[in-house]
Structures are given as structure tokens and as C-alpha cells.
Amino acid sequence: MASTNVRAALLSVVFLVLFLGIWEFGTQVIAPQENLSEYEMLMGGADEEARVPPPSEIIQHAIYELSDPFYDRGSNDKGIGTQLAYSIYRVLTGFIGAMAIALPVGFLIGMSPLMYKALNPYIQVLRPISPLAWMPLALFIIQDSEKSAIFVIFICSIWPMLLNTAFGVANVREDWVNVARTHELSPVRTAITVILPAAAPTILTGMRISIGIAWLVIVAAEMLVGGTGIGYYVWNEWNNLDLASVIFSILMIGVVGMLLDLALGKAQSLVEYKE
Amino acid sequence: MSKSFLEVDGLSKVYPDGQGGELTVFEDIRFALEKGEFVCIIGHSGCGKSTILNVMAGLDEATTGNIVMNAKEVIGPSLDRGVVFQNYSLLPWKTTLNNIVFAVRARWPKWSKEQVREHSERYLKMVGLDHALDRKPSQLSGGMRQRVSIARAFATQPELLLLDEPFGALDALTRGVIQDELVKIWEETHQTVFMITHDVDEAILLSDRIFLMSNGPHARIAESVKVNIPRPRARATIFQNPAYHKTRDYLVDFLINRSGSALPDEDGKPRVIDPSDVASATEASKPETSAKAVNA
């Protein structure tokens, strides 16, 4: 008997083949029954274009794009790799900025019930705001679309990290804190050698949620600000009515999102401990 | 007045009882420990033993009273007072060795890496765990974890060791083995130890003196029972000593019949008892009570 993994992989392939097969045959070009009218000819005989492209075409397009992912032929024609790199750069910059604020503040809130009570109302009001709602204000204050996009990433990734850090720090087992106390560790050393490792798995969970949200938001943010990035690319290809590119870039968004999550997941498994 | 190594004076703990009133768990706790003594404290659940120990550790605060160790008042936790918790309290992300290294480094920050490691390994060897240096606590059995915890406490060489029912969560066989190990380490180091236990045999095996607590609320340390059994003691042979049975009978009698009403001496200090003297008295009273029972 094959193991569950092998059987699951086989089943996955079967689903993929079925899905692509149905898609492929469902989007065959229908040969025009009668001659096109003059008007239809004028409109470009658009029947062939007015359909979702079949997978074969998308695979061809993917091979073409991925064979030279970093080309640059002017501001409206950059390779998919370049566009993704812009998006990743923005996400990471905003994410790291958020980390720099969320981790220390989370520690503070987690360790001090007073600070928790004082800051909690603000967090509860600010947290549910859609990050894109900040965009106009950010554009007005920062006056730079690139930085505004980074700010939007910053603001959306800060909350899960902040709350998880606070939660993780506040819920460190009292026994472990007592161990630090009986060994006369200073507050700073206690924070670094006991509380940080004890709360690390919870903190990493927050970071993982944050990077997921950041990657969701960057696409929308770049559709708004334009210029570069995978969000802009998708919208631009839609304006070009190049659906193969649109579908291909949707797939790439998924793949990169998965890789980001895998990276954080790996980091999480490094700090995980069993009691 | 000659001062003892550690003096506990008039300790009490009062909690709000949740209905606007107050609940005095224990009160006027007075006792002294001499350097190098091994003292166990026994009492029914709820008499506040653990709270007393936590106050001595500096992890909890008493409502009244104070503790003086080495002519210095005990305020807050200190490396001079090591604690072994019932649930081991090992840091689960550190290996066995690093759990000890963590403590040794805190104790002697100026030591070199090699010195710290060598010292830590020596104490792990004492508890027979030198083969498990690189394992995480989650990969150890309960008994092994408690050994690491004991090694950690001894390795920092505190002036006073506080053990909060260290074997409470272990099965009887493992408990016996670790008791023997504890006796061995203690005989090597002669650290002053104050330990909570529920186990009368354990207390007799380990202690020089046994404190008996009356029941809470308003619990007191009523009696201090001497254990007149020569060391070295071993679990396998201790019951052959006649003093063992006298002591055991005395303790069991206290816990079953007298812990509800027992009071310390007039001056608040525990009544000093030597069971080899008293035992004859209780034995003498026994036929009388049984005769009464028959008559009734």
C-alpha cells in the first residue's frame, strides 16, 4: 500500500488534470457559423479574444515570461520578476517597520496591565480600519505614492503582531518568570532570556498572520498607486485585455504568498518548543 | 540572644474571602533553622505550607511578620535561596545542560564558559543525568525532569534550599530512587534545606526535624519533631531502626487525631518533641483508649 502522502499527491494530480482538462475544452474557439458582418469585422472579429484563454495558452505565456523575468522595456513593460520584486520589497519594508514598533510596544503592553488598559481602546478602534482607507491620508501627508504603499503595508501588518506579542508576553507561565526571579535576573535579561523565548511561538504566529495580510493588501494598494509592482501589473494587463497575463500573474501572487508563509512557518518551527 | 541562621518571626497571611470578610490562612508562624539542617514541614492541604515557602523564597509577601536570614531581612527573591518547584519549572526550550548553565551563569556571571559547563555537568552527574545533557525537558520523564530541577538548585549552591513538594507528582518507585539521590547530594553538600512534603516516610528519611502544622484557617506550626536516627540513612534499612517506628506513629497520630486542635508553646514557638520520649506515653494511652472503645 502506498503511503497517504503518495496517494494524496496522486489525487492532487488527478484533480489538476481534470480541472485543466475541463477548462481547456470549455474554452475552445467556436468557429463562426456565418460570415462576420462588416461591423463585427471592424470591431476586430473579436470572438477569439472574448474568452478566457485556455490553460495551454497560459502555460505557454508563463514559459515565455519566466524565461526572462527581469526585462525592462520602459515603465509599462517590465518583467514579472521585476514587478514581484517591487511588491516584495514594499511588503518587507512595511513589515519590518511594523515589527520595529509592534514588538517593543507589544512587550510593553504584555508586561504592564496599566499600559494594556491605557492603549487597548486605541488599538480596538484602529485595528478594524481597512488599510486602504489610510491611503488618501497617507498620500496627502507623505506626498509619495511609493512610500504611501509602504505605509499601508506597515499599518496593516502592525496589529496582528502587536496583539500576539502582547498576548504571548502576558501569558508566559508564571513558573518561568519565578525561575528568572529566583535567579535574580534583571528585567532586561528576564525579557531576553525567559519571556522572549517563551512568547516567541505566539509572536511568530502574529508575524505569519501579518505577512499574509500584507501580501493581500499590497496587490490592492499597487492597483491604486500604480507605477510598479504586481498589483499594478495585474491591472495594467487587464487594461491591455491580456487575460493570459492576468491569470498568470494571479498564479504568481499565490505562489509568492505561499513562499512568504512557508518562510515564516519555517522560522516559527525554529522557535517552537514542547512542554 | 544567639541568632539562628534563619529566623521566621510572626508570619501571617490574610486573604479577602470574597464576601467582604477576611480569611487568615496561617498566623504567628515562628521558627528557626540552623545552618546545615534538613527540615521538613507536614500539614494537611490548605494550611498554607506553600505560601510560607514562597514567602521564604521572596516570591510572595506575608501580611505580617518577617524573615531574617544571616542577619539580613528577606525582601524579594535572591540567589541565596534556591527553590525547587513541584512542577519542575524547567525552561522547555533549553536543553538539560543549558537549564543548569542558565542558573550557574546567573550565580557566577564572571565565570568562563568552560568553568560554567564543567560545574553544571558535575551536578548533572550527581543526579545521574550526564547521559541526557542535550535532551529537552519534553523528552525526559517526570522523574528525570525533577532531577534536573534538583541539580539546578544545588548547582547554584544557595545558602538555603526550598523544596516545594518536589516528589508530589512522581510515582512511588521513581520517588524512592530520587529520595536516595537527594540524601546522597545532601550528605555531600550539607546545604540547609527546608522542604514541604505530604509523605511521612519521606520526611523521616530526609529530615533532622519535622515541623507539624495544624489545620487552616488560622494554621500554626504546632510541633517540631526531632528525628533521632543516625545518618547515613537509606530507604532500604531505615525501618529497622526502632526510632523510625516511634517517630512514624507519632507523626501519623498527629496528622489523624490532633492536627485540628494542636497549638504551639505559649511563646508561639513550635513545641519541641522527641518521639522516643513521647512514644511511650502514647503507647501507654493506647490500651486505655481501645479499652474505652470496647466498653462503649
Side-chain angles (χ1 to χ4, degrees):
Chain A
M1 274 309 280
S3 76
T4 319
N5 280 345
V6 175
R7 283 187 291 161
L10 271 173
L11 206 54
S12 286
V13 171
V14 170
F15 286 144
L16 182 70
V17 169
L18 265 178
F19 175 68
L20 293 182
I22 292 169
W23 181 0
E24 181 79 43
F25 287 107
T27 52
Q28 287 301 317
V29 183
I30 305 147
Q33 299 290 315
E34 38 195 286
N35 287 336
L36 296 171
S37 70
E38 202 168 336
Y39 176 72
E40 282 167 329
M41 302 268 263
L42 265 177
M43 293 311 288
D47 58 331
E48 230 187 299
E49 299 298 321
R51 64 190 170 108
V52 174
S56 51
E57 199 180 316
I58 291 162
I59 293 168
Q60 262 179 13
H61 183 72
I63 293 168
Y64 166 74
E65 284 280 358
L66 291 175
S67 61
D68 184 15
F70 295 106
Y71 72 85
D72 187 352
R73 295 184 207 112
S75 61
N76 274 335
D77 193 6
K78 289 185 169 56
I80 183 89
T82 314
Q83 305 288 23
L84 283 168
Y86 273 112
S87 298
I88 293 171
Y89 156 75
R90 285 179 192 136
V91 162
L92 290 184
T93 312
F95 180 79
I96 290 167
M99 246 170 86
I101 304 288
L103 297 190
V105 176
F107 250 80
L108 185 71
I109 295 175
M111 291 179 94
S112 154
L114 175 75
M115 291 307 275
Y116 175 78
K117 283 192 176 157
L119 290 174
N120 194 37
Y122 301 108
I123 295 173
Q124 295 310 330
V125 170
L126 293 176
R127 193 170 59 110
I129 298 172
S130 162
L132 292 169
W134 293 97
M135 189 61 99
L137 191 62
L139 284 169
F140 176 74
I141 294 173
I142 304 174
Q143 309 243 327
D144 179 303
S145 62
E146 165 88 23
K147 285 179 188 149
S148 300
I150 293 175
F151 173 78
V152 166
I153 295 305
F154 166 83
I155 205 82
C156 77
S157 23
I158 203 164
W159 308 115
M161 274 197 265
L162 182 69
L163 291 174
N164 266 51
T165 305
F167 179 79
V169 167
N171 287 287
V172 171
R173 288 240 318 254
E174 206 187 339
D175 300 333
W176 300 336
V177 179
N178 279 345
V179 168
R181 290 177 67 198
T182 53
H183 288 88
E184 287 186 44
L185 297 194
S186 67
V188 176
R189 281 209 60 194
T190 304
I192 293 170
T193 60
V194 176
I195 295 176
L196 183 62
T202 323
I203 296 175
L204 259 293
T205 304
M207 290 171 67
R208 204 170 165 183
I209 297 170
S210 281
I211 201 112
I213 294 177
W215 190 244
L216 292 181
V217 167
I218 191 66
V219 174
E222 285 170 344
M223 283 179 177
L224 274 176
V225 298
T228 48
I230 191 68
Y232 166 74
Y233 180 82
V234 175
W235 200 250
N236 199 31
E237 296 304 334
W238 162 239
N239 286 337
N240 295 340
L241 284 181
D242 183 352
L243 279 177
S245 286
V246 168
I247 293 171
F248 168 64
S249 45
I250 287 174
L251 277 176
M252 291 311 289
I253 291 170
V255 169
V256 172
M258 183 185 75
L259 291 178
L260 287 174
D261 187 65
L262 277 180
L264 264 293
K266 183 75 197 159
Q268 195 177 14
S269 71
L270 289 179
V271 299
E272 207 81 63
Y273 56 83
K274 255 196 273 174
E275 275 186 47
Chain B
M1 193 179 134
S2 69
K3 285 277 175 191
S4 298
F5 163 66
L6 177 119
E7 298 205 338
V8 175
D9 190 16
L11 231 49
S12 74
K13 182 79 182 180
V14 180
Y15 289 104
D17 67 357
Q19 294 155 4
E22 286 181 335
L23 180 73
T24 305
V25 185
F26 55 81
E27 60 186 1
D28 203 20
I29 299 293
R30 289 167 198 278
F31 64 87
L33 298 182
E34 301 306 329
K35 198 142 187 77
E37 253 191 325
F38 198 124
V39 174
C40 277
I41 182 163
I42 304 187
H44 289 279
S45 302
C47 69
K49 305 180 293 285
S50 281
T51 312
I52 294 176
L53 185 130
N54 281 337
V55 173
M56 291 169 78
L59 294 170
D60 200 347
E61 278 179 24
T63 311
T64 64
N66 61 59
I67 300 173
V68 177
M69 187 170 96
N70 265 344
K72 267 186 291 183
E73 184 165 9
V74 166
I75 300 164
S78 151
L79 275 162
D80 289 336
R81 280 164 276 125
V83 189
V84 175
F85 300 94
Q86 183 177 5
N87 50 12
Y88 327 129
S89 292
L90 299 173
L91 303 177
W93 56 88
K94 285 185 185 291
T95 61
T96 302
L97 178 65
N98 284 337
N99 263 290
I100 314 281
V101 164
F102 165 86
V104 174
R105 221 183 254 156
R107 177 67 165 179
W108 295 285
K110 285 184 187 141
W111 278 15
S112 71
K113 262 201 165 118
E114 297 76 48
Q115 214 174 350
V116 168
R117 191 186 160 98
E118 190 264 334
H119 184 87
S120 310
E121 281 182 2
R122 191 149 55 84
Y123 277 86
L124 276 173
K125 199 168 183 156
M126 274 191 204
V127 293
L129 277 181
D130 42 338
H131 61 282
L133 299 181
D134 296 321
R135 279 155 76 180
K136 297 270 173 74
S138 58
Q139 298 164 306
L140 301 176
S141 68
M144 288 162 98
R145 289 185 209 185
Q146 193 54 290
R147 282 187 187 138
V148 179
S149 177
I150 289 170
R152 178 174 68 185
F154 275 90
T156 57
Q157 299 177 347
E159 294 194 57
L160 173 65
L161 251 179
L162 301 162
L163 311 184
D164 187 356
E165 242 187 285
F167 311 129
L170 303 180
D171 64 90
L173 289 175
T174 315
R175 182 190 299 203
V177 174
I178 305 185
Q179 279 166 0
D180 278 344
E181 261 161 22
L182 183 60
V183 171
K184 215 178 71 203
I185 306 180
W186 182 79
E187 274 161 6
E188 271 176 53
T189 56
H190 272 276
Q191 226 119 24
T192 316
V193 180
F194 183 79
M195 169 166 153
I196 295 177
T197 177
H198 272 126
D199 181 337
V200 170
D201 296 310
E202 180 172 286
I204 300 173
L205 174 69
L206 298 170
S207 328
D208 297 310
R209 288 192 289 151
I210 298 168
F211 289 160
L212 292 171
M213 274 191 93
S214 59
N215 296 346
H218 300 281
R220 312 278 297 265
I221 294 185
E223 299 186 0
S224 159
V225 179
K226 271 188 190 157
V227 182
N228 277 328
I229 301 175
R231 295 178 189 273
R233 301 175 191 158
R235 231 170 1 114
T237 52
I238 192 169
F239 62 86
Q240 294 165 355
N241 191 311
Y244 171 82
H245 297 282
K246 285 185 180 169
T247 313
R248 194 178 195 286
D249 289 345
Y250 186 84
L251 298 177
V252 171
D253 176 59
F254 178 94
L255 290 172
I256 294 173
N257 298 322
R258 300 195 295 115
S259 61
S261 56
L263 282 174
D265 270 337
E266 297 283 297
D267 62 357
K269 289 190 177 143
R271 211 177 281 272
V272 179
I273 306 287
D274 188 341
S276 28
D277 301 339
V278 184
S280 51
T282 44
E283 253 164 43
S285 69
K286 250 184 209 161
E288 202 182 313
T289 45
S290 52
K292 264 184 198 162
V294 170
N295 289 341

